[in-house]
Amino acid sequence: MQTEYCELCGAPISKGVKLVSIAGAKPMKVCEKCAKLGTEVQAPRAKQTSFGKQIPTQARVFAGQPSSNNAYRKRDVFDFIEGEVVDDYAKKIAAARQAKGFTQKDLAFILKMQEGDIKKLERGERAPTDAECKKLEKELDIVLIDKGDGEEKIQVGGAAATTLGDVLQVKKK
């Protein structure tokens, strides 16, 4: 049997998992100690089909949380982010455009963008979107998105994983 950990403090839960909502947040699985900080909510009931058969609770997903086998997880905005835009994107765009012999108007026409947007990008007034980065990288043969080294890996499911309690300081009454 797999040991469960408190989603608030990260301690292993030995007695019983409590489903608690703290400050109106989505219900979390917490230990008895952390359960006192919020309001305990009921576990979801098993779904009834039209024939009266029950679907086990473990096979369903509760409040967008992945099931025990992690087969399903809602996608969020972070799934679509490929990396961060490099710091010197403005210089790279301007230098690559000039090296290719394009004017700002020419580049805007080729990429189907506004000339004002190209000017703002080259002045560093705004960062390019992911779609704009892809267009610029392809046309100018430059790298604008830093994929990262992958050094910042988080161990999930163990005591070493970052918990909500690590990030927040809970004020006790």
Side-chain angles (χ1 to χ4, degrees):
M1 185 171 172
Q2 190 177 13
T3 306
E4 291 200 57
Y5 294 91
C6 177
E7 292 180 10
L8 191 61
C9 70
I13 301 174
S14 58
K15 292 184 180 178
V17 177
K18 304 267 185 184
L19 202 56
V20 174
S21 176
I22 300 173
K26 287 184 181 177
M28 298 182 283
K29 294 177 183 177
V30 297
C31 61
E32 284 190 35
K33 181 180 170 187
C34 292
K36 297 173 186 172
L37 299 172
T39 308
E40 189 171 353
V41 295
Q42 288 183 337
R45 294 183 183 177
K47 274 191 175 178
Q48 294 277 339
T49 63
S50 60
F51 303 110
K53 294 180 182 177
Q54 289 189 350
I55 301 169
T57 305
Q58 292 83 8
R60 293 185 295 123
V61 177
F62 175 68
Q65 299 290 331
S67 63
S68 59
N69 63 2
N70 291 330
Y72 171 78
R73 180 178 65 85
K74 279 188 174 181
R75 294 185 70 168
D76 59 9
V77 71
F78 296 110
D79 290 336
F80 299 107
I81 296 175
E82 295 178 6
E84 293 186 24
V85 179
V86 294
D87 293 334
D88 59 340
Y89 67 89
K91 291 178 185 175
K92 282 188 173 187
I93 294 171
R97 175 186 57 81
Q98 291 169 355
K100 292 260 186 175
F102 295 143
T103 65
Q104 289 177 334
K105 190 173 188 173
D106 294 337
L107 184 61
F109 180 77
I110 292 168
L111 299 178
K112 296 180 180 155
M113 293 174 60
Q114 297 291 320
E115 183 181 357
D117 289 336
I118 300 294
K119 289 179 180 180
K120 286 180 183 179
L121 291 173
E122 288 187 4
R123 287 192 301 252
E125 291 180 6
R126 76 171 184 88
T129 63
D130 288 339
E132 291 171 342
C133 280
K134 288 179 184 176
K135 288 181 186 179
L136 288 163
E137 286 177 337
K138 184 177 179 183
E139 186 62 38
L140 300 176
D141 296 324
I142 56 175
V143 176
L144 294 175
I145 297 178
D146 181 24
K147 304 283 186 191
D149 300 316
E151 294 175 8
E152 299 179 19
K153 302 228 178 189
I154 298 174
Q155 178 185 354
V156 180
T162 305
T163 63
L164 184 59
D166 295 334
V167 179
L168 299 175
Q169 291 182 357
V170 180
K171 292 183 178 178
K172 295 183 179 180
K173 293 181 183 178

